[in-house]
Amino acid sequence: MSDTEETPLKESSGEVEKEEEKEEEYNPSFEEDNLQQSLTEGTLSWGESQEESQEDGEELEKWMDKEEQIEGEEGRGEEEEMRGGEEERRGEEEEAKREEEEATGEEEEATGEEEEATGEEEEATGEEEEATGEEEEATGEEEEATGEEKEMRREEEEARGKEKEMRGEEEEVRGEEEKMRGEELKEEEEEMRNVEERYERGEEEEKRWGEEESGEEEKSEEKEGSKEEGGEEEDKETEEEEYKWEREEGREEEAKSGEWEEEEEGVVLEKTERKAGKAQEEKKKKYKTTIQVDDIVISSESSMSRSSQASSKSSSHSQSPEVSEIYKDISMKTGIFEEAAIRSQEDIGQKLEDISAQEKDEVRFEQHLEGRRKSFQFKEVSSKESLVSISTEDTLFQKEEDSKVYPLSMTWSFGWNSSLPVYYMREDKRVLLYVCGHTAVIYDVFKNTQYHLQGHPNIISCLCVSEDRRWIATADEGPDCLIIIWDAFTGIPVHTIFDSCPDGNGIRSIAITRDSKFLATISDAETQKVCIWKWTLAVETPACTLELPKEYGFQENFIFNPANNRELFEDKGILTHSAPLLTEKTFNKLVGKFSQSVFHLKLPQILSATKEGKLVVWDIHYPPSSSSSSSSSVSAFPYIKPRKLVHLQKEAITVLTTIDSYIVTGDIKGNIKFYDHTLSIVNWYSNFKLSAIRTLSFSKTLPSPPTEKSNLPTDCTLRGDLFVVRNFIIGTFDATVYHMTVDGTKLEKLFVEPRDAVHAISCHPYQPLIAVGSICGMIKVWDFERKVYLFSRAFEKGLGVQCLTYNPEGALLGAGFTEGTVYILDAMSLENESSEPFKYSKSSVSHVSFSHDSNYMATADANFTVAVYVVVVKNGQRVWEYLARLRSHRNSIRSLLFGVHLDSNEPRLLSLGKDRFLIEYNLVKSYKDHLDVLDIHRTDQGNYPTCMIWYPPLTKELFLLICNSGYKVKLFNATTKMCRKTLLGPAYGSPIEQAQVLPVKSTLELQKRYLVFINKDKVGLQILPVDGNPHKTCAIVCHPNGVAGLALSHDGHFAFTAGGQDRSVVQWKINLAALEAAVSLGGEDLTPFYGLVSGGREGKFYRELEDYFYYSQIRSQGIDTMETRQVSEHICLSEMPFVMRAIGFYPSEEKIEDMFNEIKFSEYVETGKLIDKINLPDFLKVYLNHRPPFGNTMDGIQNSFDVLGFTNSEGKKAIRREDFLNLLLTKGEHMTEEEMFDCFATLFGLTPEGWKSEPAATCTQGLEICLQKELPEEITAEIFTTEILGLTLANSSEEPNQ
């Protein structure tokens, strides 16, 4: 902070003027260079003691009050003089009006008498004021003069009263509206009287201040006078506030009555603004250097509230960075308070059109005083505005739960990305920081609570924390990677860097300096780039960058020198580096691959650990001071040279770090060793049999001094001193996290998470339990309500859990493994229910399903095979036996589903494959090694199905709901397998992969059902019934690298998603009210559907649709008919395909048949009647639900030519003309030669009226010869699209424009 803020009251006027001339600019380099000095000086800091701040505040307020009184009274005197001149001019105008009013007659005399009574009342008021003046005369000769002035003012007020009488007479003649004007003028005079009283008091106060400055009165009298002035000042402030409200109420009244003042207002306003502007400039100069926002350091220490200062003294945050530029909302609001006096004249200028000149001066003066008062309160106000600036370490977990405004919100995250470190954030409450998928988790071990740092769209690839644990920096992978800096006290993202690595795959490593001002990143690209960010300045571009040559190899770790944060920086923004080549010949020994590097604790050296258990020591050579200024010379920069190779241990070193006076290593055998600065061993931990050490994180709290009760180990020195070190967190490669308490050598296991991909999850049917299976062969069961791990089972090596399913009773858990084994386990103990597992499959088991009575279990594997197991009774016991298996599909099986026959209550089994076949099996006729097939149906023509579930009984008809790759949801009759409806499903970047109906617990909830689904990377909700309304669905990113599984709690309150390769399971809270609110905001009836077409309801597309719809009515009755037209709201179903094609949708014959069935049988179950016509609203819904969601794309056409064509001489895929015509006749839907010729005739314009629309207009003679001329010898995708179909290609997306 600047010196001007320390003692602003003690400077001379000359020094103040010098400070005024300085520009108040924000200088980032000055703040960075003087950060530590600013923090240690602590001037004008909230960290100062409360007593000193109160004393300074009182002193400052007294001085400001005196200045306000002196300057305020001077300004008021000038304002009152101007008002007097204005009132005289008003009097002259009123005399002229009074002569006109005398001619109005005797009718106005009554009103005049009333006004005289009002004048008498005012005279009485004047007498009371005269008595008040006599009391004031007792105070001295000065007050007597003031009383005389008041009497003169009262006489002027009496004259104004008479003028008001005449004005009231005139208003009586004009009507009731003019009577109101007299009352308004009376209120105006009362306001003017109050202003005059304040003016008289101001003159008295000014005289008193003059006497104090001249020193004529004694000190004792000055003290008494100051007390009286203090009381009068309070009265004056109260009157000012009252007058302010009265003035605001009367502003509209004066605006009405001030129309006749417009001519003279400009002259007075100009003089008033000139004088007020001079006063503002003087006040601006006097108070300009009082407060400087740029000098305030927002650090963790100063941002604490006073109530928490005592508890925060134990943890120092003096090295937190300056982040005043980040919190722009704070600085902007603070700047408003500081500059209120300066900008008050500008603010008043906006109101000049609505108020009189007199009011403008008063408003300007009032706002000036208000701005000055607020300028001294900006510290308190700004601290209230920013949660970051006032937060403490306890703020994060004290935050209230966010309002439930999202349909899906993350509540818990199971798992840990063991390839990234775990950080020890707080020791007193044992708070950890780790990464789970695309979320950073702050975990309170003692409270068993989590706080999630959500904001990354991709998997987090690296993270780091500042030394004081205040700031967290995370970065992700992917083309649109982000770097986010979080406040660890509040969980608020204080700064986000976008497009930090546009040319690469994201950020590979990240590091932060010891003072937290600089951030360094290394990109994850073929050519890596090092970037240095000055993140405290809220910049979007790096301060300097450096591309690493490919011969350096792939860099995965980065660290700053804790003793010199700017060691690699040059003033001109040049990032220099030194990378000497190190080979086996350097030391004539095997060095090994590097794992991690650190800076030496005391010497200018770097230590690099290797996978051979060795340590390479590098010397840092600094240039001499004389050459430091020559930036062009290579010797002007530091460089490193290998010094020696130290063989520390046999085991490969996986972790290398430093803490206090120790160099710490962790190796592949789970050993943790401590060395001193001479690389002599001090202590080690090797008897805990840990897995390979992945990360070590030490507490930021210094260890307590040894006492008699301490149980510290002794070190390895000859003296045998006590080994004192901070407590630390251990993370191993098998995804286990431990806490080590050095005092007593206590190792505590905090949690164990899956170390491999997680694909299998299943919820218990009536208890709050979730089973999680990992490829590493471990099954864990959690209580998801209490967030408590219950029990687990680890299977032998080679058995990876691929799928899990509870049976309907919740007593059994079926597990399918990656190598084809199937286990049936006890749900509560995870012990084998059968004596031996089933090993009938040779590939991974992808699905396990139980029948409703738990008598059958079916599995599906990666070899497209369905296997069935049945319960039999042997020796009085129920035993599971293998029944049969069948390779029924030609592609992967997407769903395996049990159902119930409605007539017999017997189980039925269905399977759905990517080969587009829905197969139902006959379990009754199946026997040992024979699985009978009941029927086979094809579900799709072009797209492939993705999942299948039973549709809830919302209608009388029982349906199967099948989702496909074309973003469609189809309803099939459960008995006939007929497609009854095709609807537009959720379209969130990828089609639905899995879906489940949300369970309900009451009969009232049965009328409103919901669907939970997952696609490639999102989880979402869909309100049933599905009708194509886009507002009835929502989705959120849950696992950016892919979702592997979905499970729902038994009560329908939670959804669980498995992340596959990110080794995590996320629990989501379902809030259905938020989704219903979104639906209500989307509109009713057809309103949501209009938004799906270009231009909406009033757009060109919909108008063309209406024209085609009504033209179809005319066409169906005959174009050339002379009969009377019958116009209706419907068209025949036979006309629907033509209208579809006219608006750009070209359905196949199978899709047309599905449309016909959908409309024909839409009311058949309720009424038993078939529908043969359709109206325009229903037609619009059918069109939107059946058309491709993203239109016809060039990619789809090109894929077809890639499969069917050959590579021509130009390197493009093409189809010969003869092959093209042959494919149309023999492949796909059946087409005759006549139909084919008719199609080409229409496309080439030979039958302009359309395909067989008007038989008289068609002519097919010589059409075969025409095809030889029209079609080229080789047809490519571009030729087919543009020349044959007549579509245009968009330049950017290359999509056919229909």
Side-chain angles (χ1 to χ4, degrees):
M1 298 183 183
S2 63
D3 296 336
T4 57
E5 289 194 1
E6 291 186 25
T7 57
L9 304 180
K10 298 181 182 180
E11 293 179 343
S12 63
S13 61
E15 294 173 343
V16 173
E17 292 176 356
K18 292 179 180 179
E19 292 293 334
E20 293 166 2
E21 297 175 357
K22 296 181 179 180
E23 295 183 359
E24 295 182 319
E25 293 184 354
Y26 176 68
N27 191 346
S29 61
F30 176 79
E31 290 183 356
E32 294 164 0
D33 295 338
N34 296 276
L35 174 62
Q36 299 299 330
Q37 180 180 358
S38 301
L39 292 172
T40 53
E41 288 177 359
T43 57
L44 198 58
S45 171
W46 288 293
E48 295 177 344
S49 62
Q50 188 173 5
E51 297 178 357
E52 293 178 357
S53 62
Q54 291 177 353
E55 292 176 1
D56 293 343
E58 292 175 358
E59 237 180 275
L60 193 62
E61 290 177 359
K62 289 181 180 179
W63 183 77
M64 288 302 301
D65 291 339
K66 292 180 181 179
E67 290 295 325
E68 289 174 358
Q69 292 169 2
I70 294 172
E71 296 171 1
E73 299 304 319
E74 291 177 358
R76 290 180 182 176
E78 294 175 357
E79 293 170 0
E80 293 299 333
E81 290 178 3
M82 290 185 289
R83 293 195 188 103
E86 185 179 352
E87 289 171 359
E88 291 177 1
R89 286 189 294 274
R90 289 184 182 179
E92 293 175 1
E93 275 190 25
E94 289 174 355
E95 287 179 359
K97 291 183 178 180
R98 189 166 56 251
E99 294 176 358
E100 295 175 1
E101 291 169 357
E102 290 177 356
T104 55
E106 297 178 357
E107 295 177 357
E108 301 173 353
E109 292 181 358
T111 304
E113 294 176 357
E114 295 177 357
E115 295 296 333
E116 287 179 8
T118 304
E120 293 176 357
E121 292 177 359
E122 292 177 352
E123 290 179 0
T125 304
E127 293 175 358
E128 293 177 359
E129 293 177 354
E130 183 178 0
T132 304
E134 294 176 355
E135 294 177 358
E136 294 177 352
E137 288 176 0
T139 60
E141 296 179 356
E142 297 175 355
E143 295 178 351
E144 292 177 357
T146 303
E148 294 175 357
E149 292 175 357
K150 291 182 178 178
E151 292 177 357
M152 295 177 65
R153 298 288 182 185
R154 284 194 298 272
E155 293 175 357
E156 293 176 0
E157 292 172 357
E158 292 175 0
R160 294 192 192 97
K162 294 179 180 179
E163 293 173 358
K164 291 178 184 177
E165 292 175 3
M166 301 302 298
R167 189 179 299 171
E169 293 173 357
E170 182 182 4
E171 291 171 352
E172 182 70 16
V173 175
R174 293 176 181 175
E176 293 298 331
E177 294 181 356
E178 296 298 330
K179 289 182 182 180
M180 297 299 297
R181 185 174 181 180
E183 297 176 359
E184 295 171 357
L185 290 174
K186 182 178 67 175
E187 293 176 357
E188 177 185 359
E189 292 304 324
E190 292 177 356
E191 293 174 358
M192 292 299 299
R193 185 176 64 249
N194 293 333
V195 173
E196 291 168 358
E197 292 175 0
R198 288 197 296 273
Y199 172 70
E200 293 166 359
R201 292 186 182 181
E203 290 183 348
E204 177 185 354
E205 298 292 340
E206 183 176 359
K207 292 180 181 179
R208 288 189 179 182
W209 279 108
E211 292 175 357
E212 289 178 359
E213 293 176 355
S214 63
E216 295 176 357
E217 296 181 2
E218 297 179 355
K219 295 182 178 179
S220 59
E221 294 177 354
E222 289 177 355
K223 294 181 179 178
E224 295 176 358
S226 63
K227 293 179 181 179
E228 295 175 358
E229 290 166 3
E232 292 176 358
E233 181 66 23
E234 294 177 356
D235 297 337
K236 181 181 69 175
E237 292 178 356
T238 304
E239 292 175 359
E240 287 175 357
E241 293 293 330
E242 294 175 355
Y243 175 70
K244 183 177 180 180
W245 287 104
E246 293 172 357
R247 188 189 67 248
E248 291 176 354
E249 292 175 357
R251 194 171 286 169
E252 297 180 357
E253 301 172 359
E254 289 199 8
K256 295 178 181 179
S257 63
E259 295 177 356
W260 53 277
E261 301 172 359
E262 291 180 354
E263 296 179 356
E264 298 179 358
E265 184 179 5
V267 180
V268 178
L269 178 60
E270 182 179 358
K271 295 180 180 179
T272 304
E273 289 182 342
R274 190 182 302 112
K275 294 181 180 180
K278 292 180 180 179
Q280 294 296 337
E281 289 294 328
E282 293 176 359
K283 294 171 185 177
K284 176 180 177 181
K285 292 180 180 180
K286 291 183 179 180
Y287 300 115
K288 184 176 180 181
T289 59
T290 302
I291 294 177
Q292 297 179 1
V293 179
D294 291 339
D295 291 337
I296 295 175
V297 179
I298 302 179
S299 62
S300 57
E301 182 176 348
S302 63
S303 63
M304 292 183 181
S305 60
R306 292 181 178 177
S307 61
S308 61
Q309 284 179 357
S311 61
S312 64
K313 288 180 180 179
S314 59
S315 59
S316 174
H317 307 289
S318 61
Q319 294 181 349
S320 295
E322 276 183 87
V323 290
S324 59
E325 285 297 311
I326 298 174
Y327 315 124
K328 292 185 178 179
D329 57 335
I330 306 172
S331 60
M332 288 172 64
K333 293 176 183 176
T334 306
I336 291 172
F337 299 147
E338 177 192 3
E339 298 174 344
I342 300 174
R343 300 204 314 263
S344 61
Q345 187 175 357
E346 298 176 359
D347 297 338
I348 294 301
Q350 300 176 359
K351 303 178 182 179
L352 296 179
E353 298 179 358
D354 301 330
I355 60 177
S356 64
Q358 174 182 350
E359 288 184 334
K360 291 171 186 175
D361 296 335
E362 296 172 358
V363 171
R364 187 180 295 110
F365 182 74
E366 289 289 341
Q367 293 193 357
H368 168 66
L369 294 178
E370 185 68 18
R372 286 173 58 183
R373 284 194 292 268
K374 289 184 177 181
S375 66
F376 292 96
Q377 303 173 0
F378 83 98
K379 289 190 295 183
E380 180 181 357
V381 176
S382 62
S383 65
K384 292 179 180 179
E385 295 295 334
S386 173
L387 180 60
V388 175
S389 63
I390 64 171
S391 61
T392 65
E393 290 182 314
D394 297 326
T395 302
L396 183 65
F397 292 101
Q398 292 176 355
K399 295 175 66 175
E400 297 181 358
E401 293 185 4
D402 297 335
S403 58
K404 304 302 182 183
V405 296
Y406 303 105
L408 291 166
S409 56
M410 181 186 295
T411 60
W412 196 262
S413 182
F414 303 89
W416 163 49
N417 187 352
S418 56
S419 60
L420 296 178
V422 176
Y423 288 101
Y424 203 171
M425 302 298 290
R426 291 185 62 184
E427 182 177 0
D428 55 345
K429 294 191 176 181
R430 198 166 293 178
V431 178
L432 311 180
L433 170 69
Y434 57 90
V435 170
C436 184
H438 67 306
T439 305
V441 180
I442 301 177
Y443 176 46
D444 189 326
V445 177
F446 292 155
K447 292 183 178 180
N448 193 30
T449 55
Q450 289 182 352
Y451 188 89
H452 304 104
L453 305 181
Q454 297 177 266
H456 285 280
N458 306 310
I459 295 294
I460 295 177
S461 58
C462 55
L463 78 163
C464 65
V465 298
S466 60
E467 186 177 5
D468 60 1
R469 304 298 194 271
R470 178 65 193 269
W471 311 108
I472 302 170
T474 56
D476 60 48
E477 59 187 20
D480 300 324
C481 63
L482 299 179
I483 300 174
I484 304 179
I485 296 90
W486 312 81
D487 175 27
F489 288 3
T490 60
I492 296 175
V494 296
H495 184 50
T496 302
I497 301 174
F498 298 91
D499 298 328
S500 58
C501 188
D503 300 330
N505 297 322
I507 304 301
R508 183 64 178 182
S509 182
I510 191 170
I512 192 169
T513 56
R514 189 171 186 176
D515 61 0
S516 307
K517 291 195 296 184
F518 295 97
L519 201 67
T521 59
I522 301 179
S523 64
D524 188 4
E526 184 177 357
T527 301
Q528 292 184 289
K529 181 185 291 186
V530 178
C531 298
I532 307 298
W533 308 84
K534 295 182 179 180
W535 71 272
T536 58
L537 303 183
V539 295
E540 295 295 334
T541 57
C544 49
T545 61
L546 172 66
E547 287 191 0
L548 300 179
K550 294 181 180 180
E551 53 266 22
Y552 287 175
F554 196 77
Q555 305 296 318
E556 296 185 350
N557 293 286
F558 197 78
I559 188 172
F560 278 100
N561 187 349
N564 184 6
N565 297 327
R566 301 176 64 88
E567 185 175 44
L568 300 180
F569 298 101
E570 192 68 18
D571 293 340
K572 295 183 180 180
I574 301 173
L575 181 60
T576 63
H577 71 286
S578 175
L581 182 62
L582 186 65
T583 64
E584 297 180 3
K585 297 181 180 180
T586 305
F587 301 108
N588 293 324
K589 292 181 180 179
L590 180 63
V591 178
K593 294 184 178 181
F594 291 131
S595 57
Q596 286 186 356
S597 298
V598 295
F599 285 88
H600 197 279
L601 295 168
K602 297 184 178 181
L603 302 176
Q605 293 179 341
I606 298 175
L607 308 177
S608 298
T610 72
K611 298 296 181 66
E612 299 295 328
K614 299 174 182 178
L615 209 64
V616 178
V617 181
W618 308 81
D619 282 338
I620 304 176
H621 294 271
Y622 293 97
S625 58
S626 60
S627 63
S628 60
S629 60
S630 60
S631 59
S632 61
S633 176
V634 178
S635 61
F637 301 111
Y639 63 95
I640 61 174
K641 289 181 64 177
R643 180 180 180 88
K644 59 181 177 180
L645 183 66
V646 181
H647 199 295
L648 282 185
Q649 58 190 52
K650 296 180 180 180
E651 298 82 8
I653 300 175
T654 57
V655 176
L656 179 64
T657 185
T658 60
I659 187 67
D660 298 334
S661 60
Y662 301 110
I663 300 171
V664 190
T665 65
D667 58 41
I668 199 171
K669 292 293 185 66
N671 302 321
I672 302 172
K673 299 179 181 180
F674 293 80
Y675 301 87
D676 60 13
H677 67 280
T678 64
L679 298 181
S680 299
I681 186 121
V682 178
N683 193 20
W684 69 88
Y685 297 97
S686 60
N687 56 345
F688 294 111
K689 298 181 180 179
L690 304 178
S691 177
I693 305 300
R694 173 62 186 86
T695 178
L696 294 173
S697 180
F698 290 84
S699 171
K700 69 176 181 178
T701 305
L702 293 172
S704 302
T707 61
E708 296 179 355
K709 298 181 180 180
S710 299
N711 186 19
L712 295 171
T714 58
D715 57 25
C716 303
T717 61
L718 296 176
R719 294 178 299 179
D721 297 332
L722 292 178
F723 178 67
V724 181
V725 74
R726 311 184 192 197
N727 297 335
F728 56 95
I729 293 293
I730 306 169
T732 62
F733 276 91
D734 62 355
T736 307
V737 177
Y738 303 89
H739 179 268
M740 172 62 75
T741 304
V742 178
D743 191 354
T745 315
K746 301 175 183 177
L747 184 69
E748 178 185 356
K749 184 184 293 185
L750 300 183
F751 53 81
V752 182
E753 299 296 347
R755 64 178 181 270
D756 288 324
V758 177
H759 294 280
I761 54 173
S762 181
C763 286
H764 198 276
Y766 56 86
Q767 291 186 8
L769 304 178
I770 180 173
V772 180
S774 171
I775 299 298
C776 66
M778 181 173 62
I779 298 177
K780 295 182 66 175
V781 179
W782 291 77
D783 184 331
F784 58 77
E785 287 186 349
R786 298 186 295 128
K787 311 299 187 298
V788 176
Y789 156 72
L790 300 178
F791 47 87
S792 64
R793 176 178 175 181
F795 292 85
E796 55 267 24
K797 189 175 181 180
L799 290 178
V801 183
Q802 183 67 34
C803 57
L804 292 172
T805 303
Y806 282 98
N807 73 329
E809 286 79 17
L812 302 176
L813 179 65
F817 289 79
T818 54
E819 41 74 60
T821 305
V822 176
Y823 279 80
I824 300 178
L825 307 174
D826 181 84
M828 294 294 108
S829 64
L830 298 183
E831 297 295 332
N832 291 353
E833 185 70 16
S834 58
S835 58
E836 293 293 334
F838 300 105
K839 297 182 180 180
Y840 291 94
S841 178
K842 297 181 180 179
S843 61
S844 177
V845 178
S846 58
H847 296 80
V848 175
S849 181
F850 287 92
S851 63
H852 71 287
D853 55 5
S854 297
N855 289 331
Y856 289 92
M857 182 183 75
T859 63
D861 59 29
N863 285 337
F864 327 137
T865 302
V866 174
V868 178
Y869 305 86
V870 64
V871 174
V872 296
V873 178
K874 287 185 178 182
N875 300 326
Q877 294 183 350
R878 292 168 58 89
V879 180
W880 284 94
E881 283 188 352
Y882 164 76
L883 179 62
R885 58 196 302 264
L886 176 66
R887 185 173 181 177
S888 52
H889 291 273
R890 295 178 294 177
N891 209 327
S892 61
I893 298 175
R894 306 307 301 254
S895 293
L896 187 65
L897 194 63
F898 273 100
V900 180
H901 286 287
L902 300 180
D903 52 351
S904 62
N905 202 34
E906 290 293 326
R908 56 191 296 195
L909 177 63
L910 302 96
S911 65
L912 180 68
K914 197 175 180 180
D915 56 2
R916 302 179 181 86
F917 286 117
L918 171 62
I919 301 177
E920 183 172 2
Y921 304 91
N922 193 338
L923 297 178
V924 176
K925 295 183 179 181
S926 299
Y927 50 88
K928 187 70 172 181
D929 295 330
H930 176 75
L931 184 60
D932 190 64
V933 175
L934 183 62
D935 55 40
I936 301 176
H937 287 83
R938 192 180 69 177
T939 61
D940 288 274
Q941 188 176 24
N943 303 311
Y944 62 86
T946 57
C947 64
M948 172 180 62
I949 59 171
W950 289 106
Y951 195 71
L954 299 177
T955 61
K956 296 180 180 179
E957 194 173 358
L958 184 61
F959 292 116
L960 279 168
L961 186 148
I962 297 178
C963 304
N964 65 19
S965 59
Y967 299 90
K968 302 299 183 182
V969 175
K970 291 188 173 184
L971 300 182
F972 290 83
N973 184 282
T975 303
T976 63
K977 310 297 191 307
M978 176 189 292
C979 180
R980 291 281 288 101
K981 274 191 176 182
T982 301
L983 303 162
L984 177 64
Y988 293 102
S990 60
I992 294 177
E993 298 290 340
Q994 295 182 36
Q996 294 184 27
V997 178
L998 198 65
V1000 295
K1001 289 299 181 182
S1002 64
T1003 55
L1004 296 177
E1005 297 176 347
L1006 291 174
Q1007 302 302 321
K1008 193 75 172 180
R1009 304 301 297 273
Y1010 300 85
L1011 186 74
V1012 184
F1013 64 88
I1014 58 173
N1015 60 7
K1016 181 180 178 181
D1017 58 351
K1018 300 177 183 67
V1019 59
L1021 289 172
Q1022 169 73 54
I1023 299 178
L1024 297 179
V1026 182
D1027 57 3
N1029 184 351
H1031 300 290
K1032 295 175 69 173
T1033 181
C1034 69
I1036 185 173
V1037 176
C1038 56
H1039 301 280
N1041 282 9
V1043 190
L1046 172 68
L1048 302 179
S1049 63
H1050 66 284
D1051 55 5
H1053 293 165
F1054 298 100
F1056 299 86
T1057 57
Q1061 296 299 324
D1062 67 10
R1063 293 166 278 183
S1064 67
V1065 174
V1066 178
Q1067 179 179 351
W1068 303 89
K1069 175 67 176 178
I1070 298 175
N1071 181 22
L1072 300 176
L1075 182 58
E1076 294 289 351
V1079 175
S1080 62
L1081 294 175
E1084 299 178 352
D1085 299 331
L1086 288 177
T1087 302
F1089 296 92
Y1090 290 140
L1092 296 177
V1093 298
S1094 177
R1097 175 66 179 82
E1098 304 299 328
K1100 179 181 178 181
F1101 177 86
Y1102 189 79
R1103 292 180 180 178
E1104 289 184 353
L1105 175 60
E1106 289 179 328
D1107 293 341
Y1108 287 131
F1109 190 83
Y1110 293 116
Y1111 174 75
S1112 178
Q1113 294 182 0
I1114 298 175
R1115 182 176 176 276
S1116 63
Q1117 299 175 19
I1119 296 178
D1120 300 331
T1121 182
M1122 301 299 294
E1123 299 179 0
T1124 303
R1125 298 286 182 182
Q1126 297 180 358
V1127 180
S1128 67
E1129 296 180 354
H1130 300 78
I1131 62 172
C1132 299
L1133 289 185
S1134 59
E1135 293 293 321
M1136 186 172 62
F1138 299 102
V1139 181
M1140 290 285 185
R1141 296 187 182 104
I1143 59 179
F1145 172 42
Y1146 309 100
S1148 64
E1149 294 300 318
E1150 182 175 317
K1151 289 183 179 179
I1152 293 174
E1153 187 67 23
D1154 290 342
M1155 294 182 199
F1156 287 164
N1157 292 335
E1158 180 176 332
I1159 299 169
K1160 284 180 181 179
F1161 298 99
S1162 59
E1163 300 178 3
Y1164 184 78
V1165 176
E1166 289 79 8
T1167 63
K1169 297 180 180 180
L1170 298 178
I1171 307 298
D1172 59 354
K1173 58 184 178 179
I1174 186 172
N1175 58 19
L1176 182 58
D1178 291 339
F1179 179 89
L1180 177 63
K1181 290 183 178 180
V1182 172
Y1183 164 73
L1184 293 175
N1185 284 317
H1186 282 264
R1187 70 168 184 175
F1190 307 111
N1192 297 321
T1193 62
M1194 188 63 194
D1195 292 338
I1197 299 174
Q1198 186 63 53
N1199 291 336
S1200 300
F1201 275 79
D1202 292 341
V1203 175
L1204 301 175
F1206 69 98
T1207 304
N1208 61 10
S1209 59
E1210 298 179 358
K1212 297 181 179 180
K1213 291 290 185 179
I1215 303 176
R1216 294 183 178 87
R1217 181 174 54 210
E1218 293 76 10
D1219 296 337
F1220 178 75
L1221 297 176
N1222 185 50
L1223 288 172
L1224 292 177
L1225 295 174
T1226 59
K1227 301 295 181 182
E1229 292 184 336
H1230 178 68
M1231 178 181 287
T1232 64
E1233 288 188 4
E1234 182 181 0
E1235 292 173 341
M1236 183 184 69
F1237 289 151
D1238 287 338
C1239 289
F1240 279 113
T1242 303
L1243 291 172
F1244 294 147
L1246 302 178
T1247 54
E1249 291 297 331
W1251 176 27
K1252 290 188 175 180
S1253 59
E1254 297 295 335
T1258 60
C1259 179
T1260 59
Q1261 292 181 355
L1263 186 58
E1264 186 174 357
I1265 301 176
C1266 293
L1267 291 181
Q1268 300 291 334
K1269 297 179 180 179
E1270 296 290 343
L1271 294 178
E1273 182 66 25
E1274 294 182 355
I1275 302 173
T1276 63
E1278 291 79 6
I1279 294 175
F1280 175 75
T1281 303
T1282 58
E1283 297 183 10
I1284 298 178
L1285 297 182
L1287 304 177
T1288 58
L1289 297 179
N1291 294 330
S1292 59
S1293 59
E1294 292 193 356
E1295 293 181 0
N1297 185 4
Q1298 300 174 2

